[in-house]
Amino acid sequence: MNEKPLPIIRITYCTQCLWLLRAGWMAQELLSTFGTDLGEVTLVPGTGGIFTITCNDELIWERKRDGGFPDAAKLKQLIRDVIDPERDLGHVDRKAKS
């Protein structure tokens, strides 16, 4: 059996900034969209204003670098581009093209 391991998403959020709900919401959005195509989605508490999202240790989003937080559609597109670039995200992709 030569199955590729499923992607691991890690969302690191600042507890001092009270970003747990935002991190949890983003995790829920990813799990709702990608479901069993993900191996796990992990929330990691941090401090100092950190908010990062990684996929298999590849930095997908960093609040300071990327200027805030991604909306759900952008986040789904970024994750899709890493784990399955050919996947159609339906209304998310159609909305982005308009």
Side-chain angles (χ1 to χ4, degrees):
M1 193 177 254
N2 192 11
E3 283 191 34
K4 186 175 156 184
L6 293 173
I8 296 172
I9 308 294
R10 178 168 284 122
I11 302 173
T12 304
Y13 65 94
C14 179
T15 58
Q16 296 165 312
C17 301
L18 305 176
W19 288 336
L20 172 60
L21 288 177
R22 181 185 305 265
W25 170 75
M26 289 185 181
Q28 178 182 331
E29 287 290 322
L30 293 175
L31 288 166
S32 294
T33 298
F34 297 104
T36 56
D37 293 333
L38 296 176
E40 64 183 70
V41 176
T42 305
L43 300 180
V44 181
T47 59
I50 191 168
F51 195 93
T52 60
I53 301 170
T54 61
C55 179
N56 294 336
D57 295 324
E58 177 183 338
L59 185 62
I60 302 296
W61 190 271
E62 180 180 30
R63 183 188 63 83
K64 291 177 184 176
R65 178 192 75 185
D66 298 312
F69 301 95
D71 63 22
K74 179 66 174 176
L75 178 57
K76 291 174 186 182
Q77 290 169 334
L78 291 169
I79 296 297
R80 182 268 318 272
D81 292 348
V82 172
I83 68 171
D84 187 4
E86 300 301 314
R87 183 181 189 139
D88 180 19
L89 292 175
H91 72 281
V92 170
D93 283 335
R94 286 188 288 282
K95 184 177 171 185
K97 289 178 186 171
S98 11

Coordinates of all heavy atoms in Angstrom, one line a residue:
M1 N 0.8 -1.2 0.0 CA 0.0 0.0 0.0 C 0.9 1.2 0.0 O 1.7 1.5 0.9 CB -0.9 0.0 1.2 CG -2.0 0.9 1.2 SD -3.1 0.8 2.7 CE -4.5 0.0 1.9
N2 N 0.7 2.1 -1.0 CA 1.6 3.2 -1.2 C 0.8 4.5 -1.2 O 0.9 5.3 -2.1 CB 2.4 3.1 -2.5 CG 3.5 4.1 -2.6 OD1 3.8 4.8 -1.7 ND2 4.1 4.2 -3.8
E3 N -0.1 4.6 -0.2 CA -0.9 5.8 -0.1 C -0.2 7.0 0.5 O 0.6 6.9 1.4 CB -2.2 5.5 0.8 CG -3.2 4.7 0.1 CD -4.5 4.7 0.9 OE1 -4.8 5.7 1.6 OE2 -5.1 3.6 0.8
K4 N -0.4 8.2 -0.1 CA 0.2 9.4 0.3 C -0.5 9.8 1.6 O -1.7 9.8 1.7 CB -0.1 10.4 -0.8 CG 0.6 11.8 -0.6 CD 0.4 12.6 -1.8 CE 0.5 14.1 -1.5 NZ 0.2 14.9 -2.6
P5 N 0.3 10.3 2.6 CA -0.4 10.7 3.9 C -1.2 11.9 3.6 O -1.0 12.8 2.8 CB 0.8 11.0 4.8 CG 2.0 11.0 3.9 CD 1.7 10.4 2.6
L6 N -2.3 12.0 4.4 CA -3.2 13.1 4.2 C -2.6 14.4 4.8 O -1.8 14.4 5.7 CB -4.5 12.8 4.9 CG -5.4 11.7 4.3 CD1 -6.6 11.4 5.2 CD2 -5.8 12.1 2.9
P7 N -3.0 15.6 4.2 CA -2.4 16.8 4.7 C -2.7 17.1 6.2 O -3.8 16.8 6.7 CB -3.1 17.9 3.8 CG -3.6 17.1 2.6 CD -3.9 15.7 3.1
I8 N -1.8 17.8 6.8 CA -2.0 18.3 8.2 C -2.0 19.8 8.2 O -1.0 20.4 7.8 CB -0.9 17.7 9.1 CG1 -0.9 16.2 9.2 CG2 -0.9 18.4 10.5 CD1 0.2 15.6 9.9
I9 N -3.1 20.4 8.7 CA -3.2 21.8 8.8 C -3.0 22.2 10.2 O -3.5 21.6 11.1 CB -4.7 22.3 8.4 CG1 -5.1 21.7 7.0 CG2 -4.8 23.8 8.5 CD1 -4.3 22.2 5.8
R10 N -2.2 23.2 10.4 CA -1.9 23.7 11.8 C -2.2 25.2 11.8 O -1.7 26.0 11.0 CB -0.5 23.5 12.2 CG -0.1 24.0 13.5 CD 1.2 23.5 14.0 NE 1.1 22.1 14.4 CZ 1.7 21.0 13.9 NH1 2.6 21.2 12.9 NH2 1.5 19.8 14.3
I11 N -3.2 25.6 12.7 CA -3.5 27.0 12.9 C -3.0 27.4 14.2 O -3.5 27.0 15.3 CB -5.0 27.2 12.8 CG1 -5.6 26.7 11.4 CG2 -5.4 28.7 13.0 CD1 -7.1 26.8 11.3
T12 N -2.0 28.3 14.2 CA -1.4 28.8 15.5 C -2.0 30.2 15.7 O -1.9 31.1 14.8 CB 0.1 28.9 15.4 OG1 0.6 27.6 15.1 CG2 0.7 29.3 16.7
Y13 N -2.6 30.4 16.9 CA -3.3 31.7 17.2 C -2.8 32.2 18.5 O -2.3 31.5 19.4 CB -4.8 31.4 17.2 CG -5.2 30.5 18.4 CD1 -5.6 31.0 19.6 CD2 -5.1 29.1 18.2 CE1 -5.9 30.2 20.7 CE2 -5.4 28.3 19.3 CZ -5.8 28.8 20.5 OH -6.1 28.0 21.5
C14 N -3.0 33.6 18.6 CA -2.5 34.3 19.9 C -3.6 34.2 20.9 O -4.8 34.7 20.7 CB -2.2 35.7 19.5 SG -1.7 36.7 21.0
T15 N -3.3 33.6 22.1 CA -4.3 33.6 23.2 C -4.5 34.9 23.8 O -5.6 35.3 24.3 CB -3.8 32.6 24.2 OG1 -2.6 32.9 24.7 CG2 -3.8 31.1 23.7
Q16 N -3.4 35.8 23.8 CA -3.5 37.1 24.4 C -4.5 38.0 23.6 O -5.1 38.9 24.1 CB -2.1 37.8 24.4 CG -1.1 37.0 25.3 CD 0.3 37.5 25.0 OE1 0.7 37.6 23.9 NE2 1.0 37.8 26.1
C17 N -4.5 37.7 22.3 CA -5.4 38.5 21.4 C -6.8 38.0 21.3 O -7.6 38.5 20.6 CB -4.8 38.6 20.0 SG -3.1 39.3 19.9
L18 N -7.0 36.8 22.0 CA -8.3 36.2 22.0 C -8.8 35.7 20.6 O -9.9 35.9 20.2 CB -9.4 37.1 22.6 CG -9.0 37.6 24.1 CD1 -10.1 38.5 24.6 CD2 -8.8 36.4 25.0
W19 N -7.9 35.1 19.8 CA -8.2 34.7 18.5 C -8.6 33.2 18.4 O -8.6 32.7 17.3 CB -7.0 35.0 17.6 CG -6.8 36.5 17.3 CD1 -7.8 37.4 17.4 CD2 -5.6 37.1 16.9 NE1 -7.3 38.7 17.0 CE2 -5.9 38.5 16.8 CE3 -4.3 36.7 16.7 CZ2 -5.0 39.4 16.4 CZ3 -3.4 37.7 16.3 CH2 -3.7 39.0 16.2
L20 N -8.9 32.6 19.5 CA -9.3 31.2 19.5 C -10.6 31.0 18.6 O -10.7 30.1 17.8 CB -9.6 30.7 20.9 CG -10.2 29.3 21.0 CD1 -9.3 28.2 20.3 CD2 -10.5 28.9 22.4
L21 N -11.6 31.9 18.8 CA -12.8 31.7 18.0 C -12.6 31.8 16.5 O -13.1 31.1 15.7 CB -13.9 32.7 18.5 CG -14.5 32.4 19.8 CD1 -15.5 33.5 20.2 CD2 -15.2 31.1 19.9
R22 N -11.7 32.8 16.1 CA -11.4 33.0 14.7 C -10.7 31.7 14.2 O -11.0 31.2 13.1 CB -10.5 34.2 14.5 CG -10.1 34.5 13.1 CD -9.1 35.6 13.0 NE -9.6 36.8 13.6 CZ -10.2 37.8 13.0 NH1 -10.5 37.7 11.7 NH2 -10.6 38.9 13.7
A23 N -9.7 31.2 15.0 CA -9.0 30.0 14.6 C -9.9 28.8 14.5 O -9.8 28.0 13.5 CB -7.9 29.7 15.6
G24 N -10.8 28.7 15.4 CA -11.8 27.6 15.4 C -12.7 27.7 14.2 O -13.1 26.6 13.6
W25 N -13.2 28.9 13.9 CA -14.0 29.1 12.8 C -13.3 28.7 11.5 O -13.9 28.0 10.6 CB -14.5 30.5 12.7 CG -15.2 30.9 11.5 CD1 -16.5 30.5 11.1 CD2 -14.7 31.6 10.4 NE1 -16.8 31.0 9.8 CE2 -15.7 31.7 9.4 CE3 -13.5 32.2 10.1 CZ2 -15.5 32.3 8.2 CZ3 -13.3 32.9 8.9 CH2 -14.3 33.0 8.0
M26 N -12.1 29.1 11.3 CA -11.3 28.7 10.1 C -11.1 27.2 10.0 O -11.2 26.6 9.0 CB -10.0 29.5 10.1 CG -10.1 30.9 9.8 SD -8.6 31.8 9.6 CE -9.1 33.4 9.4
A27 N -10.8 26.6 11.2 CA -10.7 25.1 11.2 C -12.0 24.5 10.7 O -12.0 23.5 9.9 CB -10.3 24.6 12.6
Q28 N -13.1 25.0 11.2 CA -14.4 24.4 10.8 C -14.7 24.6 9.4 O -15.2 23.7 8.7 CB -15.5 25.1 11.6 CG -16.9 24.7 11.3 CD -18.0 25.5 12.1 OE1 -17.7 25.9 13.2 NE2 -19.1 25.7 11.5
E29 N -14.4 25.8 8.8 CA -14.5 26.0 7.4 C -13.7 25.0 6.5 O -14.2 24.5 5.5 CB -14.1 27.4 7.0 CG -15.1 28.5 7.5 CD -16.4 28.5 6.7 OE1 -16.4 28.2 5.5 OE2 -17.5 28.6 7.3
L30 N -12.5 24.8 6.9 CA -11.6 23.8 6.2 C -12.2 22.4 6.3 O -12.2 21.7 5.3 CB -10.2 23.9 6.7 CG -9.5 25.2 6.4 CD1 -8.1 25.3 7.0 CD2 -9.4 25.5 4.9
L31 N -12.6 22.0 7.5 CA -13.1 20.7 7.7 C -14.4 20.5 6.9 O -14.7 19.4 6.4 CB -13.3 20.4 9.2 CG -12.0 20.1 9.9 CD1 -12.2 20.2 11.4 CD2 -11.3 18.8 9.5
S32 N -15.2 21.5 6.9 CA -16.5 21.4 6.1 C -16.2 21.3 4.6 O -17.0 20.5 4.0 CB -17.3 22.6 6.4 OG -17.8 22.7 7.7
T33 N -15.2 21.9 4.2 CA -15.0 21.9 2.7 C -14.2 20.7 2.3 O -14.5 20.0 1.3 CB -14.2 23.2 2.3 OG1 -15.0 24.3 2.6 CG2 -13.8 23.1 0.8
F34 N -13.1 20.3 3.1 CA -12.2 19.3 2.6 C -12.5 17.9 3.3 O -12.0 16.9 2.8 CB -10.8 19.7 2.8 CG -10.4 20.9 2.0 CD1 -10.3 22.2 2.5 CD2 -10.2 20.8 0.6 CE1 -10.0 23.3 1.8 CE2 -9.9 21.9 -0.2 CZ -9.8 23.2 0.4
G35 N -13.2 18.0 4.4 CA -13.6 16.7 5.1 C -12.5 15.7 5.3 O -11.4 16.0 5.8
T36 N -12.7 14.5 4.8 CA -11.8 13.4 4.9 C -10.6 13.5 4.0 O -9.7 12.6 4.1 CB -12.5 12.0 4.7 OG1 -13.1 12.0 3.4 CG2 -13.6 11.8 5.8
D37 N -10.5 14.5 3.2 CA -9.2 14.7 2.4 C -8.1 15.4 3.3 O -7.0 15.5 2.8 CB -9.5 15.7 1.2 CG -10.4 15.0 0.2 OD1 -10.4 13.7 0.2 OD2 -11.1 15.7 -0.5
L38 N -8.4 15.7 4.5 CA -7.4 16.2 5.5 C -7.2 15.2 6.5 O -8.1 14.5 7.0 CB -8.0 17.5 6.2 CG -8.2 18.7 5.3 CD1 -8.8 19.8 6.1 CD2 -7.0 19.1 4.6
G39 N -5.9 15.1 6.9 CA -5.5 14.1 8.0 C -5.9 14.7 9.3 O -6.4 13.9 10.2
E40 N -5.6 16.0 9.5 CA -6.0 16.6 10.8 C -5.9 18.1 10.6 O -5.3 18.6 9.7 CB -5.1 16.2 11.9 CG -3.7 16.6 11.8 CD -2.8 16.0 12.9 OE1 -2.6 14.8 13.0 OE2 -2.3 16.9 13.7
V41 N -6.7 18.8 11.5 CA -6.6 20.2 11.6 C -6.4 20.5 13.1 O -7.2 20.1 13.9 CB -7.9 21.0 11.1 CG1 -7.8 22.4 11.3 CG2 -8.1 20.6 9.6
T42 N -5.2 21.1 13.4 CA -4.8 21.3 14.7 C -4.8 22.8 15.1 O -4.3 23.6 14.3 CB -3.4 20.8 14.9 OG1 -3.4 19.4 14.5 CG2 -3.0 20.9 16.4
L43 N -5.3 23.1 16.3 CA -5.2 24.5 16.8 C -4.1 24.5 17.8 O -4.1 23.7 18.7 CB -6.6 24.9 17.5 CG -7.8 24.9 16.6 CD1 -9.0 25.3 17.4 CD2 -7.6 25.8 15.4
V44 N -3.2 25.5 17.6 CA -2.0 25.6 18.5 C -2.0 27.0 19.2 O -1.9 28.0 18.5 CB -0.7 25.4 17.7 CG1 0.5 25.5 18.6 CG2 -0.8 24.1 16.9
P45 N -2.2 27.0 20.5 CA -2.1 28.3 21.2 C -0.7 28.9 21.2 O 0.3 28.2 21.3 CB -2.6 28.0 22.6 CG -2.3 26.5 22.8 CD -2.4 25.9 21.4
G46 N -0.7 30.2 21.0 CA 0.6 30.9 21.0 C 0.4 32.3 21.7 O -0.7 32.6 22.2
T47 N 1.4 33.2 21.6 CA 1.3 34.5 22.2 C 2.0 35.5 21.2 O 2.6 35.1 20.2 CB 2.0 34.6 23.5 OG1 3.4 34.2 23.4 CG2 1.3 33.7 24.6
G48 N 2.0 36.7 21.5 CA 2.7 37.8 20.8 C 2.1 38.2 19.5 O 2.8 38.6 18.6
G49 N 0.8 38.0 19.3 CA 0.1 38.4 18.1 C 0.3 37.4 17.0 O -0.1 37.8 15.8
I50 N 0.7 36.2 17.3 CA 0.9 35.2 16.2 C -0.5 34.7 15.6 O -1.4 34.5 16.4 CB 1.7 34.0 16.7 CG1 2.1 33.1 15.5 CG2 0.9 33.2 17.7 CD1 3.2 32.1 15.8
F51 N -0.5 34.6 14.3 CA -1.6 33.9 13.7 C -1.1 33.4 12.3 O -0.9 34.1 11.4 CB -2.8 34.8 13.4 CG -4.1 34.0 13.0 CD1 -5.0 33.7 14.0 CD2 -4.3 33.6 11.7 CE1 -6.1 32.9 13.7 CE2 -5.4 32.8 11.4 CZ -6.3 32.5 12.4
T52 N -0.8 32.1 12.3 CA -0.3 31.4 11.1 C -1.1 30.2 10.8 O -1.7 29.6 11.7 CB 1.2 31.0 11.3 OG1 1.3 30.1 12.4 CG2 2.1 32.2 11.6
I53 N -1.1 29.9 9.5 CA -1.7 28.7 9.0 C -0.7 27.9 8.2 O -0.1 28.5 7.2 CB -3.0 29.0 8.2 CG1 -4.0 29.8 9.1 CG2 -3.6 27.7 7.7 CD1 -5.1 30.3 8.4
T54 N -0.4 26.7 8.5 CA 0.5 25.9 7.7 C -0.2 24.6 7.2 O -1.2 24.2 7.8 CB 1.7 25.5 8.5 OG1 1.3 24.7 9.6 CG2 2.5 26.7 9.0
C55 N 0.3 24.1 6.1 CA -0.2 22.9 5.6 C 1.1 22.0 5.3 O 1.9 22.4 4.5 CB -1.0 23.1 4.3 SG -1.5 21.6 3.5
N56 N 1.1 20.9 6.1 CA 2.3 20.1 6.0 C 3.6 20.9 6.2 O 4.6 20.7 5.4 CB 2.4 19.3 4.7 CG 1.3 18.3 4.5 OD1 0.7 17.8 5.5 ND2 0.9 18.0 3.3
D57 N 3.6 21.7 7.2 CA 4.7 22.6 7.5 C 5.1 23.7 6.5 O 6.0 24.4 6.7 CB 6.0 21.8 7.9 CG 5.8 20.9 9.1 OD1 5.1 21.4 10.1 OD2 6.3 19.8 9.2
E58 N 4.3 23.8 5.5 CA 4.4 24.9 4.5 C 3.6 26.1 5.0 O 2.4 26.0 5.2 CB 4.0 24.5 3.1 CG 4.1 25.6 2.1 CD 3.6 25.1 0.7 OE1 3.6 23.9 0.4 OE2 3.2 26.0 -0.1
L59 N 4.2 27.3 5.1 CA 3.5 28.4 5.6 C 2.5 28.9 4.5 O 2.9 29.2 3.4 CB 4.4 29.6 5.9 CG 3.8 30.8 6.5 CD1 3.1 30.5 7.9 CD2 4.9 31.9 6.7
I60 N 1.2 28.9 4.8 CA 0.2 29.3 3.9 C -0.3 30.7 4.2 O -0.5 31.5 3.2 CB -1.1 28.4 4.1 CG1 -0.7 26.9 3.9 CG2 -2.2 28.8 3.2 CD1 -0.3 26.6 2.5
W61 N -0.4 31.1 5.4 CA -0.8 32.4 5.8 C -0.1 32.9 7.1 O 0.0 32.1 8.0 CB -2.3 32.5 6.0 CG -2.9 33.9 6.2 CD1 -3.0 34.6 7.3 CD2 -3.3 34.7 5.1 NE1 -3.5 35.8 7.0 CE2 -3.7 35.9 5.7 CE3 -3.4 34.5 3.7 CZ2 -4.2 37.0 4.9 CZ3 -3.9 35.6 3.0 CH2 -4.3 36.8 3.6
E62 N 0.3 34.1 7.1 CA 0.9 34.7 8.3 C 0.3 36.1 8.5 O 0.4 36.9 7.5 CB 2.4 34.8 8.3 CG 3.0 35.4 9.5 CD 4.5 35.5 9.5 OE1 5.1 35.6 8.4 OE2 5.1 35.4 10.5
R63 N -0.4 36.3 9.6 CA -1.1 37.6 9.8 C -0.2 38.8 9.5 O -0.6 39.8 8.8 CB -1.7 37.7 11.2 CG -2.5 38.9 11.5 CD -2.9 39.0 12.9 NE -1.7 39.2 13.8 CZ -1.1 40.3 14.0 NH1 -1.5 41.4 13.5 NH2 0.0 40.4 14.8
K64 N 1.0 38.9 10.0 CA 1.8 40.0 9.9 C 2.3 40.2 8.5 O 2.3 41.3 7.9 CB 3.0 39.9 10.9 CG 2.6 40.1 12.3 CD 3.8 40.0 13.3 CE 3.3 40.0 14.7 NZ 4.4 39.8 15.7
R65 N 2.7 39.1 7.9 CA 3.3 39.1 6.5 C 2.2 39.4 5.5 O 2.4 40.2 4.5 CB 3.9 37.7 6.1 CG 4.4 37.6 4.7 CD 4.7 36.2 4.3 NE 3.5 35.5 4.1 CZ 3.5 34.2 3.8 NH1 4.6 33.5 3.8 NH2 2.3 33.6 3.6
D66 N 1.0 38.8 5.7 CA -0.1 38.9 4.7 C -1.1 40.0 5.0 O -2.1 40.1 4.2 CB -0.7 37.5 4.5 CG 0.3 36.5 4.0 OD1 1.0 36.8 3.1 OD2 0.3 35.4 4.6
G67 N -0.9 40.7 6.1 CA -1.8 41.9 6.3 C -3.2 41.5 6.9 O -4.2 41.8 6.2
G68 N -3.2 40.8 8.0 CA -4.5 40.5 8.6 C -4.9 39.1 8.5 O -4.0 38.2 8.6
F69 N -6.1 38.8 8.3 CA -6.7 37.4 8.3 C -7.3 37.2 6.9 O -7.9 38.0 6.4 CB -7.7 37.3 9.4 CG -7.2 37.6 10.8 CD1 -7.4 38.8 11.3 CD2 -6.5 36.6 11.5 CE1 -6.9 39.1 12.6 CE2 -6.0 36.9 12.7 CZ -6.2 38.1 13.3
P70 N -7.2 35.9 6.4 CA -7.8 35.6 5.2 C -9.3 35.4 5.4 O -9.7 35.0 6.5 CB -7.2 34.3 4.8 CG -6.8 33.6 6.1 CD -6.5 34.8 7.0
D71 N -10.1 35.7 4.4 CA -11.5 35.3 4.5 C -11.6 33.8 4.2 O -10.6 33.2 3.7 CB -12.4 36.2 3.6 CG -12.2 36.1 2.1 OD1 -11.6 35.1 1.7 OD2 -12.5 37.0 1.4
A72 N -12.8 33.3 4.4 CA -12.9 31.8 4.2 C -12.6 31.4 2.8 O -11.9 30.4 2.6 CB -14.3 31.4 4.7
A73 N -13.1 32.1 1.8 CA -12.9 31.7 0.4 C -11.4 31.7 0.1 O -10.9 30.8 -0.5 CB -13.7 32.7 -0.5
K74 N -10.7 32.8 0.5 CA -9.3 32.9 0.2 C -8.5 31.7 0.9 O -7.7 31.1 0.2 CB -8.7 34.2 0.7 CG -7.3 34.4 0.4 CD -7.0 34.5 -1.1 CE -5.5 34.8 -1.3 NZ -5.2 34.7 -2.7
L75 N -8.8 31.4 2.1 CA -8.2 30.4 2.8 C -8.4 29.0 2.1 O -7.5 28.2 1.9 CB -8.6 30.3 4.3 CG -8.1 29.2 5.1 CD1 -6.5 29.2 5.2 CD2 -8.6 29.2 6.5
K76 N -9.6 28.8 1.7 CA -9.9 27.5 1.0 C -9.2 27.4 -0.3 O -8.7 26.3 -0.6 CB -11.4 27.4 0.8 CG -12.2 27.2 2.1 CD -13.7 27.2 1.8 CE -14.5 27.2 3.1 NZ -16.0 27.2 2.8
Q77 N -9.1 28.5 -1.0 CA -8.3 28.5 -2.2 C -6.8 28.2 -2.0 O -6.2 27.4 -2.7 CB -8.5 29.8 -3.0 CG -9.9 29.9 -3.6 CD -10.2 31.3 -4.1 OE1 -9.6 32.3 -3.6 NE2 -11.1 31.4 -5.0
L78 N -6.3 28.8 -1.0 CA -4.8 28.6 -0.7 C -4.6 27.2 -0.3 O -3.6 26.6 -0.7 CB -4.4 29.6 0.5 CG -4.4 31.0 0.1 CD1 -4.2 31.9 1.3 CD2 -3.3 31.3 -0.9
I79 N -5.4 26.6 0.6 CA -5.2 25.2 1.0 C -5.4 24.3 -0.2 O -4.7 23.4 -0.5 CB -6.2 24.8 2.1 CG1 -5.9 25.7 3.4 CG2 -6.2 23.3 2.4 CD1 -4.5 25.4 4.0
R80 N -6.5 24.5 -1.0 CA -6.7 23.7 -2.2 C -5.5 23.7 -3.1 O -5.1 22.7 -3.7 CB -8.0 24.3 -2.9 CG -8.4 23.5 -4.2 CD -7.8 24.0 -5.5 NE -7.7 25.4 -5.7 CZ -8.7 26.2 -6.2 NH1 -9.8 25.7 -6.6 NH2 -8.5 27.5 -6.3
D81 N -4.9 24.9 -3.3 CA -3.8 25.0 -4.2 C -2.6 24.2 -3.8 O -1.8 23.7 -4.6 CB -3.3 26.5 -4.4 CG -4.4 27.3 -5.1 OD1 -5.3 26.8 -5.7 OD2 -4.2 28.6 -5.1
V82 N -2.5 23.9 -2.5 CA -1.4 23.0 -2.0 C -1.8 21.5 -2.0 O -1.0 20.7 -2.5 CB -1.1 23.4 -0.5 CG1 -0.1 22.4 0.1 CG2 -0.5 24.8 -0.5
I83 N -3.0 21.2 -1.6 CA -3.4 19.8 -1.5 C -4.0 19.2 -2.7 O -3.9 17.9 -2.9 CB -4.3 19.5 -0.3 CG1 -5.7 20.1 -0.4 CG2 -3.6 20.0 1.0 CD1 -6.6 19.7 0.6
D84 N -4.6 20.0 -3.6 CA -5.3 19.4 -4.7 C -5.6 20.5 -5.7 O -6.8 20.9 -5.9 CB -6.6 18.7 -4.3 CG -7.3 17.9 -5.4 OD1 -6.7 17.9 -6.5 OD2 -8.4 17.4 -5.2
P85 N -4.6 21.0 -6.5 CA -4.8 22.2 -7.3 C -5.9 22.0 -8.4 O -6.4 23.0 -8.8 CB -3.4 22.3 -8.0 CG -2.5 21.6 -7.1 CD -3.2 20.5 -6.5
E86 N -6.2 20.8 -8.8 CA -7.2 20.6 -9.8 C -8.7 20.7 -9.2 O -9.6 20.7 -10.0 CB -7.0 19.3 -10.5 CG -5.7 19.2 -11.2 CD -5.5 20.2 -12.3 OE1 -6.4 20.4 -13.1 OE2 -4.4 20.9 -12.3
R87 N -8.8 20.7 -7.9 CA -10.1 20.6 -7.3 C -10.9 21.9 -7.6 O -10.4 23.0 -7.4 CB -9.9 20.4 -5.8 CG -11.3 20.3 -5.0 CD -11.0 20.1 -3.6 NE -12.2 19.8 -2.9 CZ -12.3 18.9 -1.9 NH1 -11.2 18.3 -1.5 NH2 -13.4 18.7 -1.3
D88 N -12.2 21.7 -7.9 CA -13.1 22.8 -8.1 C -13.8 23.1 -6.8 O -14.4 22.2 -6.2 CB -14.1 22.5 -9.2 CG -15.1 23.6 -9.4 OD1 -14.8 24.8 -9.1 OD2 -16.2 23.3 -10.0
L89 N -13.7 24.3 -6.3 CA -14.4 24.7 -5.1 C -15.7 25.3 -5.3 O -16.3 25.9 -4.4 CB -13.5 25.7 -4.3 CG -12.2 25.2 -3.7 CD1 -11.4 26.3 -3.1 CD2 -12.4 24.0 -2.8
G90 N -16.3 25.1 -6.5 CA -17.6 25.5 -6.8 C -17.8 27.0 -6.7 O -17.1 27.8 -7.3
H91 N -18.8 27.5 -5.9 CA -19.1 28.9 -5.8 C -17.9 29.7 -5.3 O -17.8 30.9 -5.7 CB -20.3 29.1 -4.9 CG -20.1 28.9 -3.4 ND1 -20.0 27.6 -2.9 CD2 -19.8 29.8 -2.4 CE1 -19.7 27.8 -1.6 NE2 -19.6 29.0 -1.3
V92 N -17.0 29.2 -4.5 CA -15.9 29.9 -4.1 C -15.0 30.4 -5.3 O -14.6 31.5 -5.4 CB -15.0 29.1 -3.1 CG1 -13.7 29.8 -2.8 CG2 -15.8 28.9 -1.8
D93 N -14.8 29.4 -6.2 CA -14.0 29.7 -7.4 C -14.7 30.7 -8.3 O -14.2 31.6 -8.9 CB -13.6 28.5 -8.1 CG -12.5 27.7 -7.4 OD1 -11.7 28.4 -6.7 OD2 -12.4 26.5 -7.6
R94 N -16.0 30.4 -8.5 CA -16.8 31.3 -9.4 C -16.9 32.7 -8.9 O -16.8 33.7 -9.7 CB -18.2 30.7 -9.6 CG -18.2 29.5 -10.5 CD -19.6 29.0 -10.9 NE -20.3 28.4 -9.8 CZ -20.1 27.2 -9.3 NH1 -19.2 26.4 -9.9 NH2 -20.9 26.7 -8.3
K95 N -17.0 32.9 -7.6 CA -17.1 34.2 -7.0 C -15.7 34.9 -7.2 O -15.7 36.1 -7.5 CB -17.4 34.1 -5.5 CG -17.5 35.4 -4.8 CD -17.9 35.1 -3.3 CE -17.9 36.4 -2.5 NZ -18.2 36.1 -1.1
A96 N -14.6 34.2 -7.1 CA -13.3 34.8 -7.2 C -13.0 35.3 -8.6 O -12.3 36.3 -8.9 CB -12.2 33.8 -6.8
K97 N -13.6 34.6 -9.6 CA -13.4 34.9 -11.0 C -14.2 36.1 -11.5 O -13.9 36.8 -12.5 CB -13.7 33.7 -11.9 CG -12.7 32.6 -11.8 CD -13.0 31.4 -12.6 CE -12.1 30.3 -12.3 NZ -12.5 29.0 -13.0
S98 N -15.3 36.5 -10.7 CA -16.1 37.6 -11.2 C -15.5 38.9 -10.7 O -14.7 39.1 -10.0 CB -17.5 37.5 -10.7 OG -17.8 36.6 -9.7

